[in-house]
Amino acid sequence: MLVPLTRDAFDRLIPSIATYPQYQFYWGRPADFIRRLAISVVGMVVTWLGSLATGDATGPIWFVLGFAAALYWFWAPIYWASLRNGKVRKFGYCGFWEGEILDVYVTEELVGQEETVNRQGELVIVENRERCLNLEVGDETGFETRLQAPLRREHKGIKPGMRAQTLILSDRPDLGRVAQVADFYLPDRQVWISDYPLLQREAFEEVSRELSDPPPNRRSRRPSRPAPSQETGLARRPDPRDRALARYDRRDASEGRGRFDDLEDDVENSDFENFEDDRRDRPRRRR
């Protein structure tokens, strides 16, 4: 199911200014904060030396620059998140898309490397790896996409066959070419899966409730569902037979996939006993 959305809905779902979850994402770890704090200190020292070298005539300018440098540790996450939102908003067109989970599995991905020296004075490279959840989602038109995100405790119980909803971004009004796919939302479990919180989640959940089909026990009482109200900023529902989306991001899965039948409760301790490294014999469910 693909429903084009208006520009008003686009602006509501992807704001130009960073949201709080996006600010938290770019806030990072304590090491990232220390790095930003060091940049702030260096910036203040540079502006102070510049004011001494140029005299009192340029004092107000150096004061403003020094004030901005002193608060770099605070406003940098807002800047980087807003910059990332701006790149996505350039696509200009979006659509609400609902598919079905075709496959779900766990992999270990390399997220960074550190160089240290052991007791013998030898250089040692330490690899930092992170367990990631991989989703393959498709619909009845044959369109498929794949998303990889860090594994979280709330991801337990995700199985093939569940509904998955997201926002499709395109540079064409007819959404004929998919440029990017946003966060995935699983309405059956009310769980979000994303590597970066791009969407305004409360607004997307509202759109999801408006566009999702009514429950079976209510269809007899309401055989036909009226078109969405114009107040919500949603366009009319198109006929699914009128479009066929191009295959997007159909990459081969990385080596070392793990089976994701059932996660144990201790996700934080990386205790996964129920997935296997070899998935070649496992049939894939498709619609």
Side-chain angles (χ1 to χ4, degrees), residues 148-210:
Q148 184 178 85
L151 186 61
R152 299 289 183 260
R153 177 180 294 274
E154 57 267 21
H155 296 163
K156 176 184 177 183
I158 297 177
K159 299 178 181 179
M162 291 184 175
R163 292 185 300 160
Q165 300 172 347
T166 186
L167 192 72
I168 285 181
L169 305 170
S170 177
D171 55 357
R172 295 183 179 180
D174 60 352
L175 306 180
R177 180 172 59 189
V178 178
Q180 185 174 339
V181 175
D183 317 353
F184 271 96
Y185 174 63
L186 309 184
D188 298 333
R189 298 181 57 88
Q190 297 182 352
V191 172
W192 283 89
I193 302 174
S194 65
D195 56 344
Y196 172 73
L198 179 63
L199 297 178
Q200 187 74 269
R201 296 186 172 181
E202 293 182 358
F204 185 86
E205 292 175 6
E206 180 181 351
V207 174
S208 173
R209 289 190 295 268
E210 294 178 2

Side-chain angles (χ1 to χ4, degrees), residues 27-36:
W27 181 266
R29 301 178 180 180
D32 300 323
F33 170 75
I34 294 175
R35 188 180 302 108
R36 292 196 304 269

Side-chain angles (χ1 to χ4, degrees), residues 54 131 145 156 176 179 224:
T54 57
R131 289 183 180 270
T145 184
K156 176 184 177 183
S224 61

Side-chain angles (χ1 to χ4, degrees), residues 30-56:
D32 300 323
F33 170 75
I34 294 175
R35 188 180 302 108
R36 292 196 304 269
L37 187 61
I39 294 175
S40 297
V41 173
V42 172
M44 287 189 297
V45 172
V46 171
T47 54
W48 177 68
L49 294 177
S51 64
L52 293 179
T54 57
D56 298 335

Side-chain angles (χ1 to χ4, degrees), residues 226-256:
S229 174
Q230 295 181 356
E231 298 178 356
T232 62
L234 303 179
R236 290 186 58 189
R237 181 191 302 269
D239 189 348
R241 294 173 296 179
D242 293 341
R243 75 178 68 257
L245 295 180
R247 186 176 300 270
Y248 168 75
D249 196 17
R250 184 54 177 166
R251 300 173 296 179
D252 294 334
S254 57
E255 298 181 357

